[in-house]
Amino acid sequence: MITDQQMLERWGGESLHVYRDRAADAWIIIAVHSTERGPSAGGTRMKAYGNLQEAVLDAMKLSAAMTLKFATVKMAWGGGKTVVYLTRELDPQERHALLLRLGAHIKNLSGQYYAGPDIGTTSDDMDVLHTVAAPYIFSRTPATGGSGSSSVPTAYGVFAAIRATCRQVFGTGDLEGKRILIQGMGNVGSYLSHLLRSEGAYILFSEMNAETVKHFEDQEGYELVSAEALFDTDCDIFSPCAQGGILDASSISRLKCRGIAGAANNQLSDPALHAGMLKERGILYAPDFVVSLGGAMGITLMEAERMPYEEVIAKVQMAIGEALEGIFRLAEKENCDTVEAAYRYVD
Ligand code: PHE
């Protein structure tokens, strides 16, 4: 057991705000990891957790990942994150009221933290937050003057990361005929699949939602992989685009891929340990905080710096490709795993 003090020290963040929301039986956690480079920014994750400690830890880890994302591309932002831990189902009015109360908390932080969407929230929710927390909200709908979902720039970034990973593993970034296994066909996974297919890749997917499965099997003709077979399936690149923490000693020992590049945050359950295991198995791991930084980078460039969409999409892909190339080169040179190389690259 580690103490709360050790936990907070290891996290290395600046402040942790935990609010009890009695009306919705929920907890709101805002983790401000760093404001060293500039205000903190990060998404709003809304979902059920096993307990409060899990939710708080997730907010802490996710906010730290945001700091790394912005630092990788040297942007003047720091890492922050909101977790809304739901303990029961909410009807639409309750959920709306909860968002307004979350907005008041964000507003109270006076610009230390800017929120965007994440798992469980959408641009429509950002519109609601904006009514109370302007100007500290990113990724509103285009109808209200925002640049919409962050999933699109995220997907372009993951696409560039898969290409860079293939280039390193196979000596070519050509995706024709490459077998890419996507875990999670949510907003990012589905958009990514279309980008990959347009380059001739063969798409395999795993997905929990039955309707989504049907759509991608019947309408798009992708190959379905069951949840049980996920880690045992032969593929060139495995792209985790769902929840974090899926890579541990047991899943890593089963993997039959050459590289990993996906959008999910915090894929390794113990980064230092599991990055080493992947290296030993000869699987090239593209560090998740680099692969997935396109959302945060893209939205802040569009909304805070007013950069046009096409330019942003090009810049996101270029930045992620270059960062990964630098990280892979460093890992080779220093004979270390890619996560270690990524930390050194960011420094
Ligand atoms: N949720 C996105 C992530 O995890 C990021 C995001 C941040 C989106 C800021 C919009 C604005 O990186």
Side-chain angles (χ1 to χ4, degrees):
M1 266 301 272
I2 64 165
T3 64
D4 292 349
Q5 182 177 341
Q6 284 169 324
M7 193 173 84
L8 287 163
E9 282 171 358
R10 266 181 220 180
W11 172 51
E14 290 174 12
S15 66
L16 186 59
H17 310 263
V18 181
Y19 309 92
R20 176 82 179 111
D21 191 277
R22 287 185 189 282
D25 297 314
W27 295 85
I28 291 170
I29 302 120
I30 301 178
V32 176
H33 182 262
S34 174
T35 57
E36 242 168 78
R37 311 179 70 93
S40 77
T44 308
R45 186 163 293 202
M46 192 186 281
K47 57 173 230 169
Y49 284 88
N51 56 51
L52 180 60
Q53 192 179 14
E54 249 180 52
V56 171
L57 260 175
D58 206 26
M60 290 162 73
K61 280 206 227 166
L62 289 164
S63 68
M66 293 308 304
T67 299
L68 287 167
K69 293 185 200 198
F70 289 118
T72 301
V73 286
K74 302 195 163 32
M75 290 181 78
W77 291 90
K81 201 89 179 189
T82 297
V83 161
V84 181
Y85 162 26
L86 302 177
T87 64
R88 62 174 171 85
E89 295 262 325
L90 301 180
D91 64 37
Q93 287 91 330
E94 281 183 307
R95 190 175 178 282
H96 183 88
L98 172 60
L99 283 171
L100 294 176
R101 293 190 295 274
L102 165 61
H105 294 312
I106 294 170
K107 183 85 180 175
N108 269 333
L109 292 174
S110 312
Q112 268 184 72
Y113 167 68
Y114 283 65
D118 197 76
I119 293 175
T121 58
T122 62
S123 291
D124 287 314
D125 297 333
M126 297 307 111
D127 287 352
V128 176
L129 290 177
H130 188 79
T131 61
V132 276
Y136 311 126
I137 304 298
F138 281 126
S139 223
R140 279 179 295 143
T141 61
T144 69
S147 44
S149 165
S150 60
S151 302
V152 177
T154 308
Y156 273 102
V158 181
F159 177 61
I162 289 176
R163 207 193 270 292
T165 306
C166 282
R167 198 172 289 129
Q168 180 75 14
V169 174
F170 303 108
T172 164
D174 184 0
L175 299 174
E176 182 71 44
K178 287 281 176 295
R179 288 168 62 86
I180 319 271
L181 169 56
I182 303 175
Q183 179 190 21
M185 295 301 259
N187 296 327
V188 176
S190 56
Y191 203 93
L192 171 66
S193 73
H194 294 133
L195 295 175
L196 292 167
R197 193 178 45 187
S198 71
E199 297 283 307
Y202 181 84
I203 311 292
L204 301 100
F205 77 105
S206 99
E207 164 64 42
M208 313 260 271
N209 182 291
E211 259 170 58
T212 311
V213 167
K214 197 168 158 24
H215 170 80
F216 285 104
E217 262 194 310
D218 298 354
Q219 311 292 316
E220 312 269 356
Y222 297 163
E223 181 177 333
L224 176 67
V225 170
S226 71
E228 300 75 52
L230 179 65
F231 300 120
D232 308 306
T233 300
D234 244 314
C235 58
D236 293 305
I237 302 290
F238 173 41
S239 184
C241 294
Q243 308 282 349
I246 54 148
L247 296 171
D248 56 19
S250 127
S251 55
I252 289 171
S253 70
R254 289 159 61 188
L255 289 174
K256 293 198 182 71
C257 60
R258 300 287 305 280
I260 301 176
N265 283 305
N266 303 329
Q267 293 161 26
L268 304 173
S269 57
D270 180 343
L273 178 67
H274 297 129
M277 284 185 178
L278 285 166
K279 177 176 188 286
E280 262 163 46
R281 285 228 41 217
I283 296 170
L284 185 67
Y285 181 69
D288 49 30
F289 66 80
V290 182
V291 178
S292 69
L293 66 79
M297 179 186 186
I299 294 292
T300 47
L301 284 178
M302 280 189 267
E303 297 190 355
E305 296 182 28
R306 298 273 146 223
M307 192 183 278
Y309 175 83
E310 272 78 26
E311 220 175 293
V312 166
I313 295 300
K315 198 172 162 117
V316 159
Q317 296 188 79
M318 180 96 77
I320 291 176
E322 268 174 17
L324 285 176
E325 204 179 292
I327 289 163
F328 294 152
R329 206 180 311 125
L330 197 61
E332 263 176 355
K333 188 167 135 246
E334 316 254 310
N335 191 28
C336 65
D337 66 61
T338 51
V339 170
E340 178 59 39
Y343 293 151
R344 292 187 203 176
Y345 180 89
V346 168
D347 249 4

